[in-house]
Amino acid sequence: MMRSFGLKPVSISSVTLAHMAQAQQVFHKLYAGAARDAAFIHTTFDQMSTKCAWTRREIAVYDRVASHANTKPLLLLPNSVYLQSPAPGAAPTCSCSNVQAGEPYQLQLVHGIQSAEHEGVQAGPLRAACSAVAAAAQLVHPSRTCVALLAKPIDRLAVRTRIDLRGVGETLKREHNVHTVLYVSMADLARTKLDSSGDLILDEHRISVIYSRYDFSHPWGRWVDPLPLDGGSAPTEELLAEWPAIERMELSNAIISSSLGCRLAHRRKAQHAYVRGGGLDRLLSFSEAKVLRTALPQQWSLDPAQGDGSEEREAQALILANPGAFVAKNVLRPRTGSGVTQDRLASGGQIVTEPDDLMNLARSDARAWYLLFRKVALLPHEAEIVHNGTVQHLSATEAASEVAAFGCYLDDGAGNVIMDQVAGFGARTRPTQSTHPLAAALGYGALNAVRT
């Protein structure tokens, strides 16, 4: 086990668990609909496209592949991350929505330990996610399935991610009878070819499904036009080389666990459009939209060019009145690094939390690619964290957790839903105070299971 992890599961009420489960399936419908709704995608991203060459390229590729990609099977393996407030009766707030479930294998190891010692521990997403991947592969090549697990090149891949991918791959082979599992990078997929049937060919393999653990987010975390020579997370030349491979993947028969349309549907800009731009009402029924309005946070664009500018003026007034009550998040959510521990404020999306920093941001041009959110006070709890082989005890006021609901969704591209379920739950636990000795070491937090 390469990750720090909890010995005691995070306790949540059965009411909260049911709320998260209900919302997760509504999220599936929302993302599936948004991914295939070209008008929504353009309404959401066109203004940004005029200012950012990278976004402009994304939307251009989406337009070229949409007619094919939107009619082939769609696989979603998302997760929704919630913050629990200590306020009595308060519903959990969905602070983040990820297009791809992270670390399902290592979370399964934590579940195995905790379920042997505690009652009511909820399953993680590993087996349900692998079942969905295997079912998708059967749709493409029923007699000889091939799943390609996509991540960074091995020399840039965090060891914990490498271990997790191997665990997923072995589960696919041993428990779900996937014939061939490949471990690939974008450089490998750049060598693929399309044959006359539309199959995606890599060497002698016909790829059925691409299970993506690759970060396709914005490389720079700011509007760029023209593209800089320095690619930030990788050389710009290497970043640009992704696009022909992406286009080929989208135009092939291969099902992608996070297609370009699905990635756009998960972006913070899209989340803002759901809440502030009428996206929920466009894509969901009244009752479904009501479920997500309870879950999604109130937010404001800090871009003075957003709409008539009134949203940004309201945000500025809120910051001026009480800067300590808010956080700002980069709408582009730049690509993460591959260190042993990622910095959840920097690589986790450039989150501005300190009042002075927020005031400075509000006065800068950089505010244009940020969104403002109210801070959520976290519910503290006791925890026992295994870190570097030793058990660290955190008192009832020293630990807090983000709880994630994981989902699986698969349709056949012709309107028939094959799988739509909550895949499991998990958590990340960390100290409540950033000055705690474990805070920097744990980064996003120690993996944990959830119980009711």
Side-chain angles (χ1 to χ4, degrees):
M1 182 75 186
M2 286 294 297
R3 291 282 274 110
S4 300
F5 64 94
L7 284 178
K8 294 181 179 180
V10 178
S11 296
I12 63 174
S13 71
S14 57
V15 172
T16 296
L17 192 78
H19 173 83
M20 292 169 60
Q22 180 188 25
Q24 189 57 44
Q25 289 187 283
V26 180
F27 275 127
H28 296 167
K29 181 177 178 180
L30 178 70
Y31 299 139
R36 289 167 165 154
D37 188 337
F40 173 80
I41 295 296
H42 274 279
T43 300
T44 302
F45 292 98
D46 275 357
Q47 181 191 15
M48 189 185 296
S49 294
T50 65
K51 301 175 181 180
C52 181
W54 186 262
T55 303
R56 193 155 59 244
R57 188 178 294 264
E58 275 190 305
I59 301 305
V61 172
Y62 174 85
D63 285 341
R64 288 198 294 271
V65 304
S67 61
H68 176 79
N70 291 353
T71 57
K72 75 178 188 181
L74 180 69
L75 174 63
L76 289 170
L77 300 172
N79 66 74
S80 306
V81 180
Y82 290 83
L83 304 178
Q84 297 186 90
S85 168
T93 299
C94 181
S95 64
C96 176
S97 185
N98 298 304
V99 72
Q100 184 70 53
E103 300 179 297
Y105 173 70
Q106 296 208 73
L107 183 55
Q108 184 65 29
L109 298 179
V110 176
H111 175 269
I113 296 169
Q114 294 189 2
S115 61
E117 299 180 349
H118 302 275
E119 297 292 329
V121 178
Q122 301 296 307
L126 176 66
R127 289 189 167 85
C130 287
S131 178
V133 170
Q138 285 282 333
L139 292 178
V140 183
H141 298 125
S143 62
R144 196 175 182 86
T145 53
C146 175
V147 176
L149 277 60
L150 171 62
K152 292 179 180 179
I154 198 163
D155 61 324
R156 299 184 204 166
L157 193 62
V159 174
R160 65 174 187 277
T161 306
R162 184 177 174 182
I163 291 170
D164 202 78
L165 283 168
R166 294 290 174 177
V168 171
E170 289 304 303
T171 302
L172 287 169
K173 287 194 290 187
R174 293 177 181 176
E175 298 185 20
H176 299 277
N177 299 314
V178 171
H179 185 271
T180 302
V181 171
L182 307 174
Y183 299 90
V184 301
S185 67
M186 285 302 295
D188 296 315
L189 293 182
R191 299 189 290 107
T192 57
K193 298 178 181 179
L194 284 182
D195 74 0
S196 59
S197 72
D199 274 354
L200 188 67
I201 311 295
L202 178 60
D203 300 328
E204 72 274 22
H205 303 291
R206 294 177 179 269
I207 297 175
S208 313
V209 169
I210 298 170
Y211 170 80
S212 176
R213 294 282 290 275
Y214 186 79
D215 188 354
F216 286 104
S217 302
H218 199 286
W220 293 275
R222 66 184 190 277
W223 291 336
V224 290
D225 196 4
L227 298 178
L229 295 177
D230 175 13
S233 60
T236 298
E237 182 179 354
E238 181 179 319
L239 295 171
L240 292 176
E242 293 176 359
W243 288 109
I246 291 170
E247 196 160 343
R248 196 158 49 248
M249 290 154 54
E250 295 282 346
L251 292 172
S252 75
N253 297 329
I255 300 171
I256 310 164
S257 65
S258 54
S259 68
L260 176 56
C262 291
R263 296 197 298 273
L264 291 169
H266 277 77
R267 296 282 164 78
R268 283 185 179 142
K269 186 67 173 174
Q271 302 287 328
H272 176 264
Y274 299 142
V275 175
R276 304 280 309 215
L280 294 180
D281 295 323
R282 176 185 178 89
L283 296 160
L284 301 173
S285 70
F286 176 82
S287 59
E288 291 167 335
K290 185 178 180 180
V291 170
L292 295 193
R293 283 196 178 93
T294 302
L296 290 170
Q298 192 176 12
Q299 53 195 274
W300 297 262
S301 173
L302 284 168
D303 183 1
Q306 177 72 37
D308 62 1
S310 59
E311 191 176 331
E312 190 261 349
R313 291 192 295 272
E314 182 182 355
Q316 291 282 6
L318 291 170
I319 294 171
L320 186 62
N322 189 1
F326 297 89
V327 299
K329 298 182 181 181
N330 189 315
V331 73
L332 301 169
R333 196 178 184 187
R335 297 189 183 195
T336 59
S338 280
V340 173
T341 302
Q342 293 173 351
D343 183 333
R344 66 179 305 274
L345 299 183
S347 65
Q350 294 187 357
I351 303 172
V352 180
T353 61
E354 295 301 318
D356 288 346
D357 294 338
L358 186 57
M359 292 287 285
N360 290 333
L361 174 68
R363 291 190 290 265
S364 74
D365 291 340
R367 72 185 187 278
W369 50 85
Y370 276 81
L371 295 172
L372 186 72
F373 300 84
R374 293 189 188 278
K375 281 185 179 176
V376 177
L378 295 179
L379 178 67
H381 61 83
E382 184 183 11
E384 288 184 355
I385 304 298
V386 179
H387 178 66
N388 288 340
T390 62
V391 179
Q392 307 282 335
H393 179 78
L394 299 178
S395 72
T397 61
E398 288 184 314
S401 295
E402 299 171 327
V403 178
F406 297 86
C408 294
Y409 175 91
L410 175 65
D411 70 39
D412 65 0
N416 301 304
V417 176
I418 298 168
M419 185 178 295
D420 183 7
Q421 67 183 75
V422 178
F425 297 88
R428 281 173 168 163
T429 300
R430 64 180 189 273
T432 53
Q433 300 298 319
S434 61
T435 54
H436 191 282
L438 270 182
L442 294 180
Y444 286 134
L447 282 183
N448 223 332
V450 171
R451 71 173 174 186
T452 55

